[in-house]
Each structure stands twice: as C-alpha cells, then as structure tokens.
Amino acid sequence: MAFALTEPMAGSDPSSMVMKFEDRGNHFLLNGKKHWIGNGTCAKVMTTYAKEAGGSHHGKISAFIVDGDSDGISTEEMRNKLGLLTIKNAEIYFDNCVVPKRNLLGLKGQGLNIAYSALIDGRLSVAAGTVGVMTDCLEESVSYSKAREQHGSPLAKKQLIQEHLARIAVNTESSRWLVYRAALARQNLHDYVEQLKTEDHQWQSKLNRNNKHYYLLRSDADNLSTIAKFHASNSAFDSANRSVQIFGSYGYRKSKRVARHFLDSRAITIYEGTNEVLELKMASKILGDNYKAY
Ligand SMILES: Cc1cc2nc3c(=O)[nH]c(=O)nc-3n(C[C@H](O)[C@H](O)[C@H](O)COP(=O)(O)OP(=O)(O)OC[C@H]3O[C@@H](n4cnc5c(N)ncnc54)[C@H](O)[C@@H]3O)c2cc1C
C-alpha cells in the first residue's frame, strides 16, 4: 500500500497541491504528480489526494483509493537516497487516470482532514519504530564497547563512552513512554468511534468539530502522536549518531547496522511532517488556533 500526498511543490503545505480531479459523472479523472511515495513502485493500492477542477467543490481537496495498476498511472523509482534502502520511493504520474466513483474516500472536500487523520497513525508508527532502532543501537554499542580495547581497557570502561550509552538509554525509554501515551490516546479515539458505530447509523456525520467529545479525543491523539514522533525521531538520530561515534571508524561503513540506523533515522525528522512543522503544530495546540504560525 502507499500513501500518496506529497508533490514537488507541495511538501510541508499539502493544501498547495496542484493535482486535479474532474467528476465525470460515473467516474473521476485524476491528473498530476506525486513524489517521494513509499512503496510507490509496487503498491497494489494507494490513497491519494487531489483538488476538484470545476464542479461543486472547486479547489477543495478530496481523497481517493486508487488501484496501483489502473490505466493512466506510471511510476519511476527515486534513486540515490541516503538510507531507507528497503523501501522504494517513487514519483507517481497520473495521466487521465480513471477512478471509479465508489473509490472516493469519505466525502468530497474532506481530503485534507482524512490525510491528517492518517498522519496521526503514521506519526505513531514512526515513533514506535524508532524505539526498535534505539534498542538496536544500544545493544550494538554495548557489545562493541565491551569488546573493543583502547588505552589498555575496554571502551565500555571509559566514562565518556558510558555517557553515550546512558543517553541512548534515556532516548529509548523516554520515546517508548511517549509512544505508549500516544497509543493510549489513539485507542481511546478508536474505542469512541467503534461505540458510535454501534449506536448511530449516521456515525460518519458525527466525526467533526461539532462533536466536542470526538474532537477532544482526536485532538489529544493528534497532539500526543506529534509529540511522540518529534521526540522519538530526534532521539533516534541522536542515538544512531552516538553509536557511530562509539564504533569510531568501524561505524563509518554502510555494512554496519549503526551506520544504517544513522542514515535511516535522518529521514524520520523529515517525513510524516517535518519536525519544524510539528513544533509549530505543538505550539498552536498550546496557544490556540489564533497563534497558528503555519
Ligand atoms: C524518505 C522519505 C519518505 C517519504 N515518504 C512519503 C510518502 O510515503 N508519502 C508522501 O506523501 N510523502 C512522503 N515523503 C515526503 C515528505 O512527507 C516531505 O518531504 C515532507 O512533508 C517535507 O516536504 P518537502 O520535502 O517538500 O520540504 P519543504 O516543505 O520544502 O520544507 C523544507 C524545509 O523548510 C521547513 N519549513 C517548511 N515550512 C515551514 C514553516 N512554515 N516554518 C518553518 N519551517 C518550515 C521544513 O521543516 C523543512 O526543513 C517522504 C520523504 C522522505 C524523505
């Protein structure tokens, strides 16, 4: 699967996207380009986003589920990435791509809201993944620093190496608990929506700002997954950096796990919302929408 939101001219600000769709009565027609899309070359199905050209929701963004092998879709792998080599990122071209009417996700015009709700889960899963990265950095660094001797004793006996190990442990545990906290908030949101589904067959129309309970639960899950992703991604990069330092020149090789963590974790501060934009988002949660700086 793939999540295809970003465009060459619309990264941090997806509302400026230029990809268009037309409502042709019994189907939609998509035209435009997305880039950096993970799994883009192999996705059997993707969610993508486009603005309506003309029509009742002119200029508003809608979300679509698109089969990867639809006519009018072509992809090109983006090469020369620094890391994350197990995932293929791609440019995806939509050239008069026909999408069946039933593949509109949610209602017309709800696209950005849908993308932002997907990002709650995206940030949470990214943050959770970093805990694995940091756990591995710590394990690798502990065993290497015990085995490698310089100045007559193992590196693990040097206080400055111990400082690196302690900091990686703090990074790991603080991120782990922020992930649990965000996951709990996300679970509470999930439980509420499930309850609504059983009680009210018009539940979909209740998932908006007017429903205070839903709005608070969503806002909590959104904010806590943002905090978790921000802290965990910075912590993962810091931990991988410290691990490479502990390994010295032996860590400066792509064949080493710590070097791969260093290159992979660099991307995490960029995707699922850059950490700068997440800082602005956290600040606007504290200060209120009137102080929104993005
Ligand atoms: C490895 C990787 C995988 C990705 N996978 C996907 C994917 O699967 N699907 C998808 O849709 N996208 C994906 N992306 C794209 C990613 O979401 C975007 O790169 C990201 O949103 C940033 O957009 P941009 O690169 O255009 O940077 P820009 O938006 O041009 O930002 C450049 C810099 O300016 C800063 N900046 C921007 N606006 C502000 C502001 N208002 N105030 C302060 N600073 C600001 C940013 O924080 C950043 O540091 C991926 C990217 C990478 C690197």
Side-chain angles (χ1 to χ4, degrees):
M1 295 194 65
F3 172 77
L5 179 67
T6 305
E7 298 182 6
M9 301 308 288
S12 299
D13 178 16
S15 69
S16 62
M17 71 174 60
V18 293
M19 182 146 135
K20 295 272 181 302
F21 78 91
E22 287 169 59
D23 188 338
R24 290 290 180 95
N26 58 353
H27 65 267
F28 298 108
L29 213 52
L30 262 56
N31 278 292
K33 176 183 171 184
K34 300 289 178 184
H35 80 164
W36 274 110
I37 309 308
N39 295 335
T41 53
C42 60
K44 289 205 161 54
V45 63
M46 66 185 88
T47 50
T48 197
Y49 304 84
K51 278 182 181 164
E52 182 157 20
S56 54
H57 290 72
H58 177 68
K60 295 250 171 69
I61 295 172
S62 294
F64 302 89
I65 301 170
V66 182
D67 286 336
D69 57 4
S70 305
D71 285 343
I73 289 190
S74 56
T75 63
E76 195 177 329
E77 188 183 341
M78 299 177 80
R79 296 180 187 275
N80 293 322
K81 287 194 304 180
L82 289 180
L84 292 173
L85 301 181
T86 54
I87 301 169
K88 289 190 175 171
N89 291 80
E91 296 191 306
I92 305 184
Y93 300 88
F94 297 83
D95 183 12
N96 285 329
C97 173
V98 175
V99 175
K101 266 292 171 70
R102 64 173 182 277
N103 286 21
L104 176 71
L105 188 56
L107 303 173
K108 262 194 191 178
Q110 284 185 335
L112 265 193
N113 196 31
I114 289 169
Y116 291 152
S117 76
L119 286 170
I120 298 177
D121 293 344
R123 285 173 190 143
L124 185 49
S125 70
V126 161
T130 67
V131 178
V133 168
M134 290 184 271
T135 302
D136 196 48
C137 284
L138 191 56
E139 282 172 10
E140 288 284 305
S141 302
V142 166
S143 59
Y144 184 80
S145 61
K146 282 183 177 171
R148 171 82 171 166
E149 292 199 5
Q150 288 294 289
H151 300 284
S153 65
L155 293 179
K157 289 233 168 185
K158 324 286 181 202
Q159 288 184 341
L160 292 177
I161 296 292
Q162 291 185 1
E163 183 190 358
H164 285 311
L165 296 175
R167 291 296 186 93
I168 298 172
V170 171
N171 283 343
T172 312
E173 288 310 308
S174 54
S175 301
R176 189 195 307 281
W177 284 98
L178 286 175
V179 168
Y180 286 149
R181 180 101 166 76
L184 184 61
R186 179 64 184 88
Q187 182 71 46
N188 290 340
L189 174 64
H190 173 84
D191 291 347
Y192 174 70
V193 174
E194 288 304 303
Q195 186 194 335
L196 209 59
K197 277 183 188 171
T198 59
E199 288 170 0
D200 189 340
H201 68 280
Q202 294 207 315
W203 60 275
Q204 269 177 308
S205 62
K206 304 272 162 61
L207 303 183
N208 56 41
R209 259 175 188 257
N210 298 331
N211 178 347
K212 275 231 160 63
H213 193 57
Y214 166 76
Y215 184 69
L216 283 177
L217 288 174
R218 178 176 158 146
S219 168
D220 211 25
D222 191 14
N223 186 45
L224 289 168
S225 70
T226 298
I227 292 174
K229 189 272 189 184
F230 176 83
H231 178 77
S233 56
N234 283 334
S235 298
F237 185 60
D238 179 63
S239 300
N241 194 22
R242 288 177 186 278
S243 293
V244 170
Q245 195 64 20
I246 290 171
F247 274 68
S249 63
Y250 292 91
Y252 197 68
R253 288 173 172 171
K254 283 186 182 169
S255 56
K256 281 281 181 274
R257 298 173 72 88
V258 292
R260 292 204 298 274
H261 289 319
F262 177 76
L263 293 172
D264 289 352
S265 63
R266 185 63 191 85
I268 310 173
T269 62
I270 298 172
Y271 62 64
E272 303 288 330
T274 65
N275 280 10
E276 288 80 6
V277 170
L278 297 189
E279 277 183 311
L280 303 181
K281 197 168 147 51
M282 290 184 277
S284 84
K285 168 80 178 164
I286 297 163
L287 296 165
D289 280 354
N290 286 345
Y291 292 85
K292 211 170 174 180
Y294 62 102

